[in-house]
Structures are given as structure tokens and as C-alpha cells.
Amino acid sequence: MNHAITLAAVDLGSNSFRLEIGSYEHHQIHRVEYLKETVRQGNGLDAQRNLTQESMERGWACLARFGERLRGFDPQHVRAVATQTLREARNRDVFIDKGSELLGFPIEVIAGEEEAALIYRGVVSQLPATDERRLVIDIGGRSTEFVLGQGSVAQSVASYRIGSVAWTSRYFPQGQLSAQAFQTAEIAARAVLDEVLDSFQLGSWDVAYASAGTANAVGDTLAAHGHGEGIITRAGLDWLQQQLLRFGHVDRIKLDGLKEDRRPVVAGGLSVLRAVFDLLGLDQMQVAQGALRMGVLYGMVDESYAGDVHTASVLGLMERFGVNHVHARHVAETAQQLWLQLHPQEEAAPAALAWAGLLHEVGCRISRSDYHRHSAYVLEHCNAAGFSATELKHLAQLVLGHRGKLKKMEAFMHNTEHALQLLCLRLAAVLCNTRRAPDMQGVQLLRQGKLLLLQTPDGWSQRFPLSAQLLQDEAEAVAKSDWMLQVQHTV
């Protein structure tokens, strides 16, 4: 797939129905549109495990709206999947037949194991490519999936009939939030999940990730109250339970970060999450993005979704903003070479330095004038899979400071490593001023404290007079910061 293709995934969950539309281009899927409706079909199963007419009507109405948005889509580029509620419903065929007609595309009821594998694929699509062993846990409305994998490969999957909607209905049926109800819900959750320990033993993963609605709801709430961004801790779960007990009823819950549609089911989800922490001996989990619908989207592309997410994002940005690949590569490689001269004990330069070199001219598509400022804005505000907001801000700062006066970079350069990355990038941009690969034979960069010494070999300044002059200009610019640059040309 070398041209942009529009893909759509429909996720018929027990709590919400979701439609994710993405554009696949440059090895990445970028969001085009996202629609979500809180249908709570998981609450619509009666004692005989049949969907009530009311719950089916809610689902059909949502699918009709999704269907209008999907008109004209290539059937090969749309996949609709249903999970635990429709796995359980005895009259699911009635719902699926009419729902598929309203949506305009067939609805598949997937097994819990396939759901788990797709969840892992979706989560991995938003993470850097590493060899870390990953535990991914997805607490849905009526099922919870566990996946153990390494890098991009899922190695062990499991699905259990337990979730936020089911546990809230069973243990908090009137919305009352009591200590006894929480204790009972957690004990029951541990009983259901007890066999998890057979396949998911402590020590078999490096990082634990939590995905889907419950994880995002808990993570957002904890972050809004100063418990850390993108992380769920045991202490945070204790704090949240105490807050819910203080409110006493779901109708009285008012917590920053907790969305209205999650409030009615947060107690059940929290109980399951606390049980998972206890069973697996977890101290913390990272909140993951991606989830089922992203896994469905990536499952539709022809090539493997596995790979270096950072690199794919960088290449995608270079393509979208028409970056000259040859020149960008010269700057990136030169910056890395200079860094390694300063750090001969290291095997590789920081990845951020290479990325900044490759992306320093993305702003030229907007305007050549002050392009470094445009580049910085694009990088700080773009949606680049695999990159955290902190990483993008760091790249934006490097790109912003790679040319011009250094006064604007004072705060950034208080960190020695940041300052050295920036100075290597600036020198690389100067040495590549002719937009050709510079002759680095005999060029050496040394450091003594906050003094950088750039030495060139015999005759270098005569062969490259423009570069020699620009290096002198750079020395004068650096002298106005806390650092110094001396250029020594051997005649």
C-alpha cells in the first residue's frame, strides 16, 4: 500500500460502540475520525441471556448512524467486530442480522482469544519497537483479556468473563458504594481470575500495560488529581476507592478527569483492576493507547504491523512535509558523528539527535522564513505514533534551537546533555550548509567542561571557505550562551 487508503474499524463493546476511521500511509495509520456512543449493551442481557428489545434498539440506532458515515467505503477496508456481550447473547443472530444491514457491513463475533491478540496488536502499534516483555491487560465491559508478549509478538493470550459493566451490575446494583460491596466484588474477581497465575507468572514481563475504558478512566482521574500522568499505582487505586466511598453513590460522584459516561461503571472496573493488582503482585501499570479497534485497523493492512514505530513516524512526517531525505540524512549522520566524538565510550548517539536531524526542515513546507520555528511547532503538536508528548517537546526544542540566537534556548541548555545535543545539531547544520555530505576527514570535536574545540585538518579552511566562515559565526553565537566554541584551522 504505497498510497493513502482509508480504513474503518467498528468495535461493538459491552459498554460502548466505537467507530475508528484511519488513513494508512507511510507505514502508519493516522486518525481521520473517531465516533463513540455509550450503548451499554452489556446491561441488556436478561436472566436467560437474551438481549432485551430495548438494548437491541439502542444498538441498532447507533449502527445506523455509523452506517451513514461508512457509506461508499470499500468492503475490504471495513471490519466490524463484536465481543463478550454478543458472545453470550442467545439471540445474537437477531441483533447481528439487522445490525449488519443497518451498518452496511457484516458484523463478526470474535472469540476472546482473537480479541486478546487484536488488543495486543493495537497496543503495540502505539509503542516503540523494543524487545521488552509486555503484559497487556484490557478490562472491558463484560470480559477482561490478558496478553503476554515480547516486542510485537503475542505469546500467550487469555480471556475471562469479567468486566466493569458486569461487575457493577452484580455488586453495585443500586449504585450504592460501600466498603462491603467493594470487598465482595474484589474477592469474586480474584476467584474468577485465579487461574491467571498459571500462565501469567510474576517475573515473566518487564512492563505491564493497562488498556481500554477502565484503564483510561482510572488513569485520567488519577492524573487529574496529581497521581502521575499515564500511570496507575497501587496507592492511586487505594486513593480512588476512598474517594468513591466518600461519595457513597454513583450519582454523587464528582471527580476531575472522570468522564460522565464512565461514572456509572467505574466501581466495577476499579474492583476488577484492584483484583488484578493483588493477584499478579503489581505495583504499577502504564496506561496504554491503541486497544482493540487499532488492532483491527492494523490487521487489515497487507504488510506486517510490526516494526520500528518511531522510525515509521519520522519517515511519515518527512513524506508529508516534503523533507529532502538526502540532506536530512546528512545532517542527522553528521550530528551523530560529532556526538560520538564527544562520547567515545558510547556505541550510539541518542536517537533524539538523529530524529531531530531528519526532521529539522519539516517547517519549510509552511515557509522557508523562520522555518525552524514552524518545524518546532509542527513537532510539538503533531500526532506521531510511538512518541510521547515529552519526546515530541524535546525534539521541538532541538529543532527550534538548531539555528539562530541561543538566548531562546537558555532553559533547555541548563541540562548538559540537552545542550550538547543541540550544539552537535547546530554544528552539523553548519557543516552541511552546501546541502552535500561534508568532508569530515580529520575534523575532530573535543570538550573541556563547557568549552567545545573543533579542529580541522591542514588546508580544510582553504578548501571550504564558506564553511570556515559559518563556523566562526557559530562560535560567536555560542559565546553568548553559557558555552564556548573555539574553531582551530590548521593552515
Side-chain angles (χ1 to χ4, degrees):
M1 295 183 181
N2 295 320
H3 56 288
I5 291 180
T6 304
L7 307 169
V10 182
D11 171 8
L12 282 67
S14 298
N15 191 55
S16 303
F17 285 7
R18 294 176 169 89
L19 168 61
E20 181 87 33
I21 300 176
S23 175
Y24 178 74
E25 188 176 15
H26 308 310
H27 316 288
Q28 290 287 300
I29 293 177
H30 303 282
R31 174 176 285 180
V32 173
E33 191 169 353
Y34 172 59
L35 301 177
K36 172 189 172 184
E37 295 195 19
T38 305
V39 177
R40 293 218 173 84
Q41 199 167 59
N43 279 338
L45 288 174
D46 62 21
Q48 288 73 43
R49 298 212 316 273
N50 285 311
L51 286 170
T52 64
Q53 187 65 30
E54 181 185 1
S55 68
M56 288 197 291
E57 294 289 350
R58 290 198 306 270
W60 287 332
C62 174
L63 291 174
R65 288 186 282 272
F66 285 1
E68 180 181 356
R69 178 63 182 86
L70 292 174
R71 286 175 192 167
F73 272 61
D74 187 329
Q76 294 183 346
H77 298 155
V78 178
R79 188 181 184 193
V81 298
T83 55
Q84 186 61 37
T85 294
L86 288 173
R87 285 198 287 265
E88 293 184 48
R90 290 181 173 176
N91 59 343
R92 68 182 184 184
D93 290 343
V94 175
F95 178 81
I96 290 172
D97 288 346
K98 184 172 181 178
S100 297
E101 181 180 350
L102 292 168
L103 184 65
F105 301 91
I107 296 170
E108 305 173 52
V109 179
I110 58 175
E113 291 74 19
E114 182 180 0
E115 181 181 357
L118 288 171
I119 287 167
Y120 190 80
R121 176 178 287 196
V123 168
V124 167
S125 75
Q126 306 302 303
L127 293 174
T130 70
D131 289 329
E132 71 179 9
R133 298 173 301 167
R134 292 162 169 161
L135 172 66
V136 174
I137 300 174
D138 185 295
I139 300 175
R142 292 188 72 88
S143 71
T144 295
E145 280 66 46
F146 289 73
V147 191
L148 194 62
Q150 185 162 17
S152 60
V153 180
Q155 298 168 328
S156 182
V157 299
S159 180
Y160 299 89
R161 288 172 55 177
I162 180 174
S164 60
V165 173
W167 244 235
T168 298
S169 298
R170 185 175 303 178
Y171 298 102
F172 307 90
Q174 307 303 320
Q176 297 292 335
L177 303 173
S178 67
Q180 181 61 51
F182 273 110
Q183 182 180 17
T184 304
E186 287 181 38
I187 291 173
R190 286 197 296 271
V192 172
L193 298 173
D194 185 59
E195 64 183 72
V196 164
L197 295 173
D198 295 337
S199 302
F200 301 86
Q201 298 177 352
L202 185 63
S204 58
W205 62 84
D206 299 316
V207 184
Y209 294 95
S211 66
T214 292
N216 285 305
V218 172
D220 289 347
T221 305
L222 294 179
H225 293 269
H227 290 269
E229 191 76 30
I231 190 170
I232 299 173
T233 64
R234 188 182 293 268
L237 295 180
D238 291 342
W239 174 87
L240 181 54
Q241 180 172 301
Q242 289 303 312
Q243 298 307 305
L244 296 182
L245 288 172
R246 183 170 61 85
F247 290 113
H249 194 281
V250 294
D251 292 341
R252 293 195 289 270
I253 297 175
K254 291 184 179 179
L255 284 170
D256 291 343
L258 184 63
K259 296 178 181 178
E260 187 70 20
D261 66 320
R262 300 303 308 185
R263 189 178 67 178
V265 297
V266 66
L270 177 61
S271 300
V272 176
L273 189 53
R274 286 172 60 87
V276 169
F277 265 67
D278 287 344
L279 275 174
L280 297 181
L282 297 172
D283 292 319
Q284 67 177 39
M285 297 186 75
Q286 303 290 329
V287 179
Q289 305 302 316
L292 175 61
R293 60 189 182 276
M294 288 305 297
V296 172
L297 288 179
Y298 274 95
M300 285 188 283
V301 299
D302 291 336
E303 63 184 89
S304 171
Y305 69 95
D308 187 335
V309 180
H310 280 118
T311 299
S313 289
V314 169
L315 291 175
L317 285 168
M318 293 173 72
E319 292 291 339
R320 277 192 283 163
F321 287 91
V323 171
N324 183 312
H325 283 235
V326 175
H327 175 62
R329 192 176 302 111
H330 289 161
V331 172
E333 291 173 352
T334 304
Q336 292 176 93
Q337 183 176 347
L338 292 170
W339 174 274
L340 291 176
Q341 289 182 358
L342 295 176
H343 304 83
Q345 73 281 5
E346 296 184 8
E347 294 183 0
L353 188 56
W355 295 330
L358 292 171
L359 296 170
H360 75 284
E361 287 191 340
V362 294
C364 290
R365 176 61 66 90
I366 299 171
S367 173
R368 187 73 194 181
S369 176
D370 285 337
Y371 74 84
H372 57 301
R373 297 184 183 277
H374 303 312
S375 297
Y377 182 87
V378 168
L379 291 177
E380 187 168 357
H381 296 90
C382 72
N383 179 18
F387 284 93
S388 66
T390 300
E391 287 176 317
L392 290 174
K393 186 171 183 178
H394 180 70
L395 288 181
Q397 287 292 293
L398 286 174
V399 167
L400 176 64
H402 89 274
R403 61 174 296 195
K405 297 178 180 179
L406 284 170
K407 184 174 179 56
K408 61 182 180 291
M409 306 306 300
E410 284 181 356
F412 183 77
M413 295 180 70
H414 284 324
N415 181 300
T416 298
E417 182 171 342
H418 293 176
L420 291 173
Q421 288 181 19
L422 179 59
L423 292 172
C424 286
L425 183 63
R426 288 176 67 95
L427 286 171
V430 169
L431 292 167
C432 296
N433 70 88
T434 62
R435 306 187 75 81
R436 294 190 299 270
D439 183 354
M440 296 293 290
Q441 185 68 36
V443 176
Q444 183 68 36
L445 183 63
L446 306 171
R447 176 191 170 200
Q448 297 175 355
K450 287 196 170 184
L451 169 65
L452 295 186
L453 177 63
L454 184 70
Q455 298 175 333
T456 64
D458 291 348
W460 191 93
S461 59
Q462 283 76 32
R463 287 187 292 129
F464 307 108
L466 176 58
S467 296
Q469 179 58 53
L470 291 175
L471 285 174
Q472 188 56 47
D473 293 343
E474 178 64 12
E476 294 175 7
V478 173
K480 295 177 182 179
S481 72
D482 291 337
W483 290 74
M484 294 291 293
L485 171 66
Q486 290 183 6
V487 183
Q488 290 184 351
H489 299 299
T490 302
V491 180

